[in-house]
């Protein structure tokens, strides 16, 4: 099963500059593991040592935040669009 992953600018050094890459997996976790296989180093920027998505990273499946779904156990289907978005803080 193939999904399309949008890669934010800070992580494109792992994808040779590509802003979108294909990955496979039937869950978000499986997709992240596949992403790591093809783009070594990217997973540790997305997930912490305990296997949770880092607080300052948001992952969306077809526009829905996985934190409001089943987190990394969220099921994926062929053709899903995944977005990895670094959180932005600050302002006045």
């Amino acid at each position: 099963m193939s999904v399309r992953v949008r890669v934010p600018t800070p992580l494109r050094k792992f994808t040779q500059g590509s802003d979108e890459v294909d990955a496979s997996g039937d869950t978000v976790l499986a997709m992240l593991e596949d992403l790591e296989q093809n783009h070594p180093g990217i997973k540790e920027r997305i997930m912490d040592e305990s296997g949770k998505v880092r607080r300052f990273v948001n992952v969306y499946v077809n526009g829905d935040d996985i934190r409001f779904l089943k987190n990394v156990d969220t099921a994926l289907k062929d053709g899903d669009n995944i977005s990895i978005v670094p959180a932005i803080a600050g302002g006045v």
Side-chain angles (χ1 to χ4, degrees):
M1 138 177 359
S2 180
V3 297
R4 195 76 177 148
V5 182
R6 291 187 178 178
V7 181
T9 303
L11 297 180
R12 291 181 190 164
K13 63 184 173 187
F14 299 103
T15 62
Q16 293 73 47
S18 294
D19 61 347
E20 289 188 346
V21 296
D22 290 320
S24 61
D26 56 356
T27 65
V28 170
L29 180 59
M31 177 274 303
L32 289 170
E33 289 170 351
D34 182 66
L35 204 58
E36 176 66 19
Q37 286 281 14
N38 295 304
H39 308 284
I42 197 167
K43 185 178 169 190
E44 71 182 47
R45 300 304 193 282
I46 300 169
M47 299 181 78
D48 64 20
E49 307 77 35
S50 68
K52 295 180 182 174
V53 174
R54 294 184 183 279
R55 290 184 315 154
F56 56 85
V57 176
N58 298 310
V59 179
Y60 297 91
V61 175
N62 299 322
D64 294 321
D65 190 332
I66 66 167
R67 288 185 172 99
F68 299 106
L69 300 172
K70 293 185 179 177
N71 217 315
V72 295
D73 294 324
T74 300
L76 300 177
K77 61 186 180 311
D78 198 42
D80 279 348
N81 290 300
I82 313 301
S83 297
I84 301 168
V85 181
I88 299 173
V92 178

